[in-house]
């Protein structure tokens, strides 16, 4: 694939994600993968060599980034998920569980062998003993019980090509601190879950750059913070389904925490996040499924893009992991309320200036690679963000977080040409990000026919085992 041609995208309304209002009737010129000009169509000269795309009536936004994905696929064909991402306008992803196969896929994308998103790839999960995924065969986790192990694990992750270190929920205090210290010494970013065993305020100041999901946030925003932080640290998981038993116990602590939520304390915590330049990836898409598993629809036509056996896998994971073996009527009602609390908290964090990153946690139950990022944007708007602000959480904010704002994340001169062309205005209704006409990835134009072909390819690969 090559984006070396000259393209002129003429007549679209540009929503550049800088915070500026939509600008109608613009021309965007792309030369050698880079946006060179953005301006009023009547004033921008079109190079004579350009391929001209008439986009009158269309809307042009930056390519989208999903900042929390797990692109493991049960097929051996790397085009499967790559095609779904690009067809959905997702031109970059942050892989939150480092697996060797992901590095091979990235090399194929970088070489132009396949069309796919830019990939930022984590280390294996760094967790305590027992790790929450310890009972899952072949799960690439590193369990750490000492500072020495922590330092060695960081070095090995760097040697294996990880772009950042992924920390998980059960790291003990000494191990957590050693991971952060060694990562800082070696100048590699740390992101992931908060540790149940270290006070959240300490973690904010530790150097961890992002916290994934909403687990454990409310303990620090409670008027009874010491007791609730101790309750998190006191969780003991059960063999066979460590993660399921952990989720059940965390939910109990969360329900206790929201009952003692203190607005002034929450404001102080959010201010600490802002001061430390720490981001939150709330993954409301996965929380919506964890809290309300009845929302999963197996008749969804997007199931055709997933491999045979997916419904059975989802049922197992939902029952034994998400629901911890089952929920009482009272627990079901509590979880419905918890989702509303999560949305409200994300809205408050955004109002306080906390950097919010859009991420989905696909491919868990009820989630679809590429497609679910649009659902996450809907959830962010439901949390109180404006459509334009939600859009920034999938464009400008990921670029800023990764230190790439000078070359990606917005529709401006000098930025790489990662673009999504829409049939309707996302600033009027965030659901319009799903009305995709075409995609531009690294300067390469994916028109309506080729986009349909990507979806057809993904469906064919998924269905090969049927």
């Amino acid at each position: 694939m090559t984006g070396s041609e000259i393209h002129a995208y003429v007549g679209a309304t540009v929503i550049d994600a800088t915070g500026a209002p939509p600008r109608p009737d613009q021309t965007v010129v792309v030369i050698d993968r880079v946006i060179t000009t953005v301006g009023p169509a009547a004033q921008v000269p079109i190079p004579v060599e350009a391929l001209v795309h008439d986009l009158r009536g269309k809307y042009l936004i930056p390519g989208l980034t999903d900042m929390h994905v797990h692109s493991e696929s049960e097929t051996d064909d790397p085009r499967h998920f790559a095609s779904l991402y690009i067809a959905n306008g997702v031109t970059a992803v942050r892989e939150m569980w480092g697996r060797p196969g992901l590095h091979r896929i990235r090399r194929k994308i970088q070489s132009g062998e396949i069309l796919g998103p830019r990939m930022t790839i984590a280390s294996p999960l760094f967790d305590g003993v027992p790790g929450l995924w310890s009972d899952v065969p072949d799960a690439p986790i590193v369990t750490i019980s000492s500072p020495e192990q922590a330092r060695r694990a960081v070095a090995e992750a760097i040697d294996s090509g990880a772009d950042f270190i992924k920390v998980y929920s059960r790291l003990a205090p000494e191990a957590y601190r050693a991971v952060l210290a060694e990562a800082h010494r070696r100048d590699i970013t740390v992101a992931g879950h908060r540790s149940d065993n270290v006070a959240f305020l300490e973690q904010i100041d530790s150097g961890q750059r992002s916290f994934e999901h909403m687990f454990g946030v409310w303990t620090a925003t409670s008027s009874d913070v010491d007791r609730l932080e101790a309750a998190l640290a006191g969780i003991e998981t059960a063999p066979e389904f460590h993660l399921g038993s952990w989720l059940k116990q965390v939910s109990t602590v969360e329900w206790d925490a929201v009952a003692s939520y203190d607005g002034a304390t929450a404001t102080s915590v959010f201010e600490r996040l802002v001061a430390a330049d720490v981001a939150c990836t709330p993954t409301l898409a996965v929380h919506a499924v964890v809290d309300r598993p009845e929302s999963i629809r197996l008749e969804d036509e997007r199931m055709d893009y997933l491999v045979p056996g997916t419904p059975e896998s989802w049922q197992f994971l939902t029952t034994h992991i998400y629901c911890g073996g089952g929920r009482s009527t009272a627990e079901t009602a509590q979880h419905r309320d918890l989702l509303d609390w999560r949305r409200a908290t994300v809205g408050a964090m955004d109002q306080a200036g906390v950097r919010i990153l859009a991420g989905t946690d696909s491919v868990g139950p009820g989630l679809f690679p590429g497609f679910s990022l649009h659902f996450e944007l809907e959830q962010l708007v439901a949390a109180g963000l404006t459509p334009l602000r939600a859009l920034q959480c999938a464009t400008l904010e990921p670029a800023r977080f990764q230190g790439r704002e000078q070359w990606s994340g917005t529709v401006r001169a000098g930025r790489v040409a990662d673009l999504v062309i829409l049939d309707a205005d996302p600033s009027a209704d965030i659901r319009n990000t799903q009305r995709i006409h075409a995609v531009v990835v690294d300067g390469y134009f994916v028109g309506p026919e080729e986009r349909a072909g990507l979806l057809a390819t993904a469906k064919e690969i998924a269905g090969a085992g049927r």
Side-chain angles (χ1 to χ4, degrees):
M1 309 297 175
T2 176
S4 61
E5 303 100 335
I6 301 174
H7 294 262
Y9 301 93
V10 180
T13 295
V14 170
I15 300 174
D16 62 16
T18 65
R23 289 178 289 161
D25 198 20
Q26 299 286 295
T27 288
V28 177
V29 177
V30 174
I31 300 176
D32 291 335
R33 304 169 46 247
V34 176
I35 299 169
T36 60
T37 309
V38 182
Q43 300 175 18
V44 174
I46 298 175
V48 294
E49 311 95 324
L51 298 172
V52 178
H53 306 268
D54 184 351
L55 300 184
R56 286 173 293 182
K58 308 294 185 186
Y59 295 80
L60 192 150
I61 65 173
L64 302 172
T65 299
D66 191 331
M67 287 293 282
H68 194 124
V69 302
H70 300 283
S71 298
E72 65 270 23
S73 174
E74 293 183 32
T75 76
D76 294 324
D77 195 327
R79 297 174 301 162
H80 184 204
F81 282 7
S83 296
L84 291 176
Y85 287 133
I86 297 304
N88 280 282
V90 178
T91 58
V93 295
R94 184 172 60 149
E95 296 284 352
M96 294 302 295
W97 196 337
R99 300 168 183 264
L102 295 174
H103 293 273
R104 292 192 291 272
I105 293 171
R106 178 162 65 180
R107 288 192 291 271
K108 288 178 180 291
I109 292 170
Q110 291 174 335
S111 70
E113 183 178 341
I114 64 172
L115 184 65
R118 287 182 181 78
M119 299 171 68
T120 302
I121 303 174
S123 67
L125 304 187
F126 286 14
D127 207 358
V129 181
L132 294 184
W133 290 87
S134 293
D135 44 27
V136 177
D138 302 321
I141 66 171
V142 178
T143 53
I144 297 171
S145 58
S146 70
E148 293 75 21
Q149 286 182 326
R151 289 188 284 270
R152 185 165 60 250
V154 171
E156 290 173 353
I158 293 171
D159 289 344
S160 69
D163 298 312
F164 65 97
I165 303 299
K166 168 76 177 284
V167 291
Y168 221 59
S169 303
R170 303 302 293 167
L171 279 171
E174 297 79 9
Y176 177 82
R177 293 170 188 139
V179 168
L180 269 294
E182 186 66 11
H184 178 73
R185 189 178 76 83
R186 291 175 175 267
D187 194 28
I188 187 169
T189 297
V190 177
H193 291 205
R194 69 152 294 185
S195 169
D196 296 340
N197 301 302
V198 181
F200 190 44
L201 292 182
E202 178 185 336
Q203 291 178 69
I204 291 173
D205 296 331
S206 70
Q208 184 169 333
R209 290 290 318 287
S210 75
F211 291 96
E212 309 300 303
H213 320 301
M214 299 297 291
F215 300 122
V217 172
W218 289 323
T219 59
T221 61
S222 165
S223 59
D224 199 6
V225 58
D226 291 339
R227 180 179 67 83
L228 291 169
E229 290 276 9
L232 270 187
I235 289 175
E236 294 185 6
T237 60
E240 188 177 11
F241 299 118
H242 285 289
L243 180 58
S245 67
W246 176 81
L247 280 169
K248 201 171 187 70
Q249 293 175 79
V250 164
S251 297
T252 299
V253 177
E254 288 182 324
W255 185 247
D256 199 356
V258 299
S260 55
Y261 182 86
D262 182 79
T265 302
T267 297
S268 176
V269 171
F270 301 158
E271 288 174 349
R272 289 278 286 273
L273 287 165
V274 174
D277 193 25
V278 174
C280 176
T281 316
T283 63
L284 289 171
V286 75
H287 282 298
V289 178
V290 172
D291 288 327
R292 302 180 183 179
E294 68 276 9
S295 66
I296 296 175
R297 295 287 179 265
L298 296 180
E299 68 273 16
D300 191 310
E301 63 183 15
R302 295 172 296 179
M303 294 296 292
D304 289 342
Y305 297 108
L306 303 182
V307 297
T310 294
E312 293 78 11
S313 172
W314 282 8
Q315 180 63 46
F316 176 86
L317 290 170
T318 301
T319 301
H320 296 285
I321 304 300
Y322 285 6
C323 296
R327 288 176 183 164
S328 67
T329 301
E331 287 173 331
T332 298
Q334 288 172 2
H335 273 276
R336 293 189 66 82
D337 288 345
L338 284 176
L339 181 58
D340 292 333
W341 270 95
R342 296 188 210 282
R343 291 173 179 147
T345 303
V346 170
M349 293 172 80
D350 179 67
Q351 286 293 311
V354 177
R355 178 172 296 166
I356 305 296
L357 305 174
T360 61
D361 206 17
S362 68
V363 291
L367 301 173
F368 302 87
F371 295 99
S372 286
L373 183 59
H374 300 281
F375 178 61
E376 180 71 10
L377 296 179
E378 290 183 55
Q379 292 297 302
L380 291 174
V381 171
L385 280 66
T386 67
L388 287 177
R389 180 61 188 144
L391 189 62
Q392 286 184 316
C393 296
T395 53
L396 175 64
E397 293 300 351
R400 283 177 172 169
F401 177 83
Q402 296 181 315
R404 299 173 179 174
E405 66 269 29
Q406 295 305 311
W407 67 271
S408 70
T410 54
V411 185
R412 302 178 69 185
R415 274 55 175 180
V416 68
D418 287 347
L419 308 167
V420 187
I421 300 161
L422 304 172
D423 288 325
D425 184 1
S427 68
D429 186 337
I430 196 61
R431 292 173 296 182
N432 287 335
T433 60
Q434 301 172 61
R435 298 185 60 183
I436 297 173
H437 171 73
V439 179
V440 180
V441 54
D442 202 26
Y444 180 79
F445 178 73
V446 182
E449 290 186 4
E450 185 171 0
R451 178 175 175 268
L454 290 175
L455 291 170
T457 294
K459 186 179 293 187
E460 180 182 354
I461 294 169
R466 288 187 170 89

